[in-house]
Every structure is written in C-alpha cells, then in structure tokens.
C-alpha cells in the first residue's frame, strides 16, 4: 500500500510539473527608464559604467534566465547635447559591439535586421530587430540572439534640452526561440 501511495504521489508531482509553464511571463517596470517589459522570470538588476559613443554612460540592466535562455533589457541616458543623429550613431555602435562579442560581422547583422519602432520611440534607421547566430563570449558555445535596439526622447526640465534614452532588449539561447522572442518584444512598451 505504501508503494502505491508513493507512486500516486510521484505521478501527481509529475503532472503538476508538466502543467507549470517553463516561461512564467510577468510585466517588469524598468525604473527611471519609462519602459515596461515582459520577462519570463524575476530579473536581477545591475548598473555599471560603459564607454560608448566617445563617452562614459551608466548602463542599467535587468535580466534573468529561464528555460535555457537569458532574457535582458538594458538602457542608458544620453545628455541633452545629443541629437537624434547622435542617438542613432550610438545605437549602431552598441549593436556592433554586442554582435562583435558574438563573432557576428556588421554585414551579417545588417542583412539580418528589420525596422523596430515602438509607439513613442524615435523613428531611427538604427532601430532594428534581428536574429543572428554566433558564439557565446563566456564559453564559445553556439548561441542564437534575438535582439532589438531603439531610442526615445524624454522631456527635460524647463529650459533644458530633451534627453535621449537608448534601449537594448535581447534573448540569448542555444537555438532559435521565435515564439518567446515574439512575446518578449511584443511586451515592450514605452510609458
């Protein structure tokens, strides 16, 4: 009788595990960034200085791992002296640096991209969404990245120039995750 209960318990636990989705999507606010994102897990957050576009900026990140993939959203603020053309140039540098770490050439990245503009974002030609295959800079394993870069102008205090905020959203996985990518990018919303 005890073995039968144990077997019934194991079957019940297996059924419950099968019913739990591998991606538990939730809306996450990116504090101070005016952005909401759908992430499939509770994100860790970090801020660090980076060199990009000939300046040092604070890069804020939120990301997590779920179902064998890493999901992340990053953003940075350019000061009021930067115009839309400069924001586009910095987005292009950010894309080149990110993909370069994966061993993806600029030409391959350009061929893989399509326009990506959220409501409220600047309509920059450098705002793109793409899927590329490369290698992980951490362990040289094959990785597929679904990624997007975009920007928006933020209101500034009276008399000050508007500020520009740049964003990057990405999924790194061992293989394509098209359905997860569509959910992830479809859940990005500027507020």
């Amino acid at each position: 009788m005890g073995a039968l209960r144990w077997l019934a318990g194991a079957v019940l636990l297996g059924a419950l595990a099968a019913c739990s989705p591998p991606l538990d999507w939730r809306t996450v606010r990116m504090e101070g960034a005016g952005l909401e994102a759908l992430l499939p897990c509770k994100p860790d957050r970090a801020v660090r200085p980076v060199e990009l576009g000939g300046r040092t900026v604070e890069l804020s990140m939120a990301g997590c791992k779920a179902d064998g993939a890493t999901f992340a959203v990053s953003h940075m603020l350019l000061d009021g002296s930067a115009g839309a053309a400069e924001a586009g140039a910095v987005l292009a540098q950010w894309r080149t640096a990110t993909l370069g770490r994966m061993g993806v050439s600029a030409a391959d990245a350009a061929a893989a991209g399509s326009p990506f503009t959220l409501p409220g974002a600047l309509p920059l030609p450098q705002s793109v969404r793409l899927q590329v295959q490369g290698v992980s800079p951490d362990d040289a394993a094959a990785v597929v990245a679904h990624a997007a870069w975009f920007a928006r102008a933020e209101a500034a205090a009276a008399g000050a120039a508007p500020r520009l905020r740049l964003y990057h959203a990405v999924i790194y996985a061992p293989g394509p995750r098209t359905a997860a990518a569509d959910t992830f990018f479809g859940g990005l919303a500027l507020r």
Side-chain angles (χ1 to χ4, degrees), residues 23 25-26 28 30 35-41 62-64 70-74 116 118 129 146-148 150 168-172 177-189:
L23 301 178
W25 296 101
R26 74 224 31 226
V28 175
M30 303 298 294
L35 179 72
E36 287 183 350
L38 271 182
L39 290 173
C41 40
C64 58
T70 299
F71 297 78
V73 180
S74 304
F116 184 78
L118 295 175
R129 176 179 167 184
H146 297 268
F150 54 100
H168 171 49
V170 65
I171 300 171
Y172 295 109
R177 299 287 177 97
T178 305
D182 289 343
T183 300
F184 179 59
F185 294 117
L188 295 171

